[in-house]
Every structure is written in C-alpha cells, then in structure tokens.
Amino acid sequence: MPRYALLILPAFNRVYGESSVRMTRSELAVFSERGLGGKVVESEETTIGGVPYVTFETSSDLSESDISLLSNLSSVYAIFAMEGELLRPLTMKSLDRLSSDLITIQRYAGKTNEHFTKLLLNVTALAGDKGLGARLAVFDPLCGRGTTLNQALMYGYDAYGLDVDGKDFEAYSGFIKTWLRNKRLKHTAETVPVRRERALVGRRLNVTFGLSKEALKSGDVQHLAVVNADTLRSRDFFKPRSFDVLVADAPYGVQHGSKAGSGLSRSPLDLLRQAVPGWAELLRPGGAMGISWNTYGGKSSELAQILTGAGLEVMDYPDFEHWVDQAIVRDVIVARKPA
C-alpha cells in the first residue's frame, strides 16, 4: 500500500504541541472519512531523524486534489511520499489566500491556540454538505477577538461574528482595519449602531475587501461582519439559514465565567442550552455546527443532548479531548443540520 508522512508543524504553545501528533491523527481520520472517501487505512506516530511525523497508509495513491485537501490539516508543515527509507516531498496547495500574520500577529491573554482554531473549523466544515473547499459563510457566535473569523477569511470564506464584550469588539475592529490598511488591500469598513424600535441594541462592524482593486470592482470580494451584542440575541442580527458553518469556542467557566441570562455560570452548558436552538436556526440545511468546551463544565453526552434537541445530528468523530491546564480539559463536538 502507498505510504505517506506528515511533518508536524512546531507549536508555539508547548502544551498543545504535546498533543499535536495525536490531534493530527484524529483530524486526519475526519479528512479521510469526509473528504477522501476513506482512503486512509491506518495512521501512527513515527519518529524520523528525531522529529515527530504522522505516517499513514492509503488504499490507493493520493491524487493532486487529495494532497491539496490534506494541505489544510491544522498542524501539518509538509507532506511526503515514503519510498523505502526516503521521503519525497509533495507539492502542498492549501486554501490560504492571505498573509499568515492575520492569524499570528494578535497576542493577548486567553487567545485560543491558532492550530486548534483551524482544526475546529476544518472538522466542522467537513461535516457539512459543501465540504472544506467551497465558498462558505462562517459564523462564530462567541467570536471574542476574532481568531476564528480570521481563519475563515484566510480560507477565502465570508466571516460573521458576535460577542457581548465591548472591549473585544473594539480591539478586533481596530486590528482588522489596521491590518487591511497595512496590507494595502482594497476595502470598505464602517462601524454602525444597530437599533430596534429606536433602542440601541448593539454595534456592527461591516467590512468588504478584495485582493486587488480590480477584484473589488468585479465583485470578487469577501465579507466580514461583527456584532457587539449578547449571543442569545443572534436571531435579532442575522437571518435564519444564513450560514454554512457555525463554530464556537465556549467560555471555559472555571477561568472566565459564561454568561447565561442575567448571571455568570461555571458551566458552559447553561449558556449553550439557551443559545444552541437559536444558533441552529441560523444554519442552512446541510450545514454544520462545531463547539469546543471545557469538559469539567459538562459531559459530551449532555452537550449531544442539547444539539439533538435543536434538531441536529451529532457526528461520530474521533476523540479530540486534550489537556489545556489544571482547570481546563477541552473537547470538540460536531453536529450537522439535516438537508
């Protein structure tokens, strides 16, 4: 059988780096099942020249499109075909269309690891009918300072977010406007108040940009919109069936607290019980929802019950649980909306 090797990208986060090989194998299993027709037969961790790799066998040779798909794995630096003791590098071609500093330049306390953010978006998009390569509309209803939004933009998707924290809204608005100017990308950007029955209910950042002046004129553009408001009011700002993918990194409770109704709770499930039904209405049929959460705040079976209660079908995915710190063990659950 053909054999291949994935060189693991070094992680800036030491703790996540320790889990990256195992997480890559789980992610690879999803790519195989949802994008490669089950071509990957078996994978394992292999040390080559003192460096960690994920090696795997396939039922047939990987095509050029297969390699392009695998180029988007969240922690992969290079892909090789294994020929005896030799490694032959394969040409990678990822979806990324913007400078990588869009993802890496922001540094602040509590930022979700960029590799994990990409993994969550990958496995959620692959659960949907459109897959990873199509032009998608991505919504993060707990977007914070926009790590997920930026990854969606990197892939050429349209990105939409909502967050209740005014400081995070201001920080992200300032960052993305400055980044677009510095990269000299043709764009429009404005922040406007949102009113309902004359009452101010939030603020909205609207951005449209193209990779060139000609692209902007021809309509080859990407859209970004971020709303500063309570996620429980998502339906007030976005229409039903607007998004192909919804991804959320739920508040970790122990560290940050999660807002549910009028108070703070140590469990993210309190927030999710109220928010998920509204979020599900925003998904298009055939779309998918992916949520990461702190397992100390609730069991996967409880979260699965919330998702199925909202009319979603929970995916039978590999284990993505991993240790973050003494108060946080993070896991992922993905569900799709029936077409």
Side-chain angles (χ1 to χ4, degrees):
M1 286 185 177
R3 288 183 59 81
Y4 299 88
L6 307 174
L7 177 61
I8 301 302
L9 185 69
F12 291 108
N13 184 302
R14 178 189 58 80
V15 174
Y16 189 81
E18 292 174 353
S19 302
S20 60
V21 171
R22 178 177 60 82
M23 298 284 283
T24 298
R25 292 183 63 196
S26 295
E27 188 181 7
L28 176 62
V30 174
F31 271 67
S32 175
E33 176 189 352
R34 301 293 301 178
L36 300 178
K39 270 190 179 182
V40 177
V41 177
E42 182 180 359
S43 72
E44 62 184 356
E45 178 180 354
T46 306
T47 300
I48 302 175
V51 177
Y53 288 75
V54 169
T55 57
F56 60 97
E57 294 182 347
T58 57
S59 56
S60 60
D61 291 333
L62 293 179
S63 66
E64 184 176 332
S65 62
D66 293 338
I67 296 167
S68 294
L69 179 65
L70 292 178
S71 299
N72 298 294
L73 284 162
S74 61
S75 293
V76 167
Y77 185 64
I79 304 175
F80 299 91
M82 302 183 71
E83 300 176 354
E85 296 183 354
L86 301 179
L87 299 178
R88 177 169 58 85
L90 301 176
T91 301
M92 297 176 63
K93 187 178 180 181
S94 72
L95 293 172
D96 291 349
R97 55 183 278 162
L98 300 172
S99 173
S100 62
D101 62 357
L102 175 62
I103 303 294
T104 60
I105 197 171
Q106 286 181 293
R107 293 293 169 196
Y108 53 89
K111 181 182 180 181
T112 304
N113 179 274
E114 297 98 335
H115 297 179
F116 176 75
T117 296
K118 187 174 182 180
L119 181 150
L120 179 60
L121 179 58
N122 282 347
V123 299
T124 305
L126 285 168
D129 289 351
K130 292 184 178 180
L132 196 63
R135 177 71 175 266
L136 303 177
V138 176
F139 178 49
D140 182 350
L142 300 166
C143 67
R145 297 194 185 185
T147 306
T148 298
L149 305 182
N150 292 341
Q151 181 58 59
L153 295 176
M154 282 287 292
Y155 276 174
Y157 301 159
D158 293 327
Y160 303 85
L162 189 148
D163 201 275
V164 72
D165 191 309
K167 291 183 179 179
D168 283 349
F169 177 83
E170 293 288 352
Y172 182 67
S173 298
F175 164 76
I176 196 65
K177 290 176 182 179
T178 300
W179 188 87
L180 289 166
R181 286 196 302 269
N182 289 344
K183 296 300 177 181
R184 298 185 178 181
L185 293 177
K186 300 300 180 181
H187 68 280
T188 62
E190 62 173 353
T191 300
V192 297
V194 181
R195 300 183 184 276
R196 297 289 184 272
E197 298 178 355
R198 298 184 180 180
L200 181 66
V201 294
R203 294 176 293 168
R204 181 175 180 130
L205 169 69
N206 295 313
V207 177
T208 300
F209 70 93
L211 298 185
S212 66
K213 186 176 181 179
E214 292 72 22
L216 194 64
K217 285 184 177 180
S218 68
D220 181 13
V221 296
Q222 289 178 249
H223 301 283
L224 167 69
V226 184
V227 176
N228 176 209
D230 194 322
T231 192
L232 299 181
R233 302 191 65 179
S234 297
R235 280 286 311 276
D236 292 344
F237 304 97
F238 300 102
K239 296 179 181 179
R241 301 186 175 193
S242 292
F243 306 117
D244 303 296
V245 173
L246 186 152
V247 289
D249 189 16
Y252 295 145
V254 173
Q255 184 178 31
H256 302 296
S258 55
K259 188 172 183 179
S262 59
L264 291 175
S265 169
R266 290 172 66 86
S267 170
L269 297 188
D270 294 337
L271 173 65
L272 295 174
R273 285 190 185 96
Q274 297 182 63
V276 165
W279 294 350
E281 292 182 15
L282 299 177
L283 273 180
R284 292 170 180 153
M289 180 185 300
I291 299 173
S292 63
W293 85 104
N294 181 11
T295 61
Y296 288 143
K299 299 178 180 179
S300 60
S301 59
E302 295 176 285
L303 186 48
Q305 188 174 16
I306 293 172
L307 294 169
T308 55
L312 305 179
E313 300 172 346
V314 176
M315 303 296 293
D316 182 17
Y317 268 5
D319 177 25
F320 287 107
E321 184 175 290
H322 59 286
W323 190 83
V324 177
D325 63 29
Q326 292 182 346
I328 302 170
V329 175
R330 185 166 53 196
D331 203 354
V332 170
I333 191 168
V334 176
R336 67 183 303 278
K337 187 172 184 175

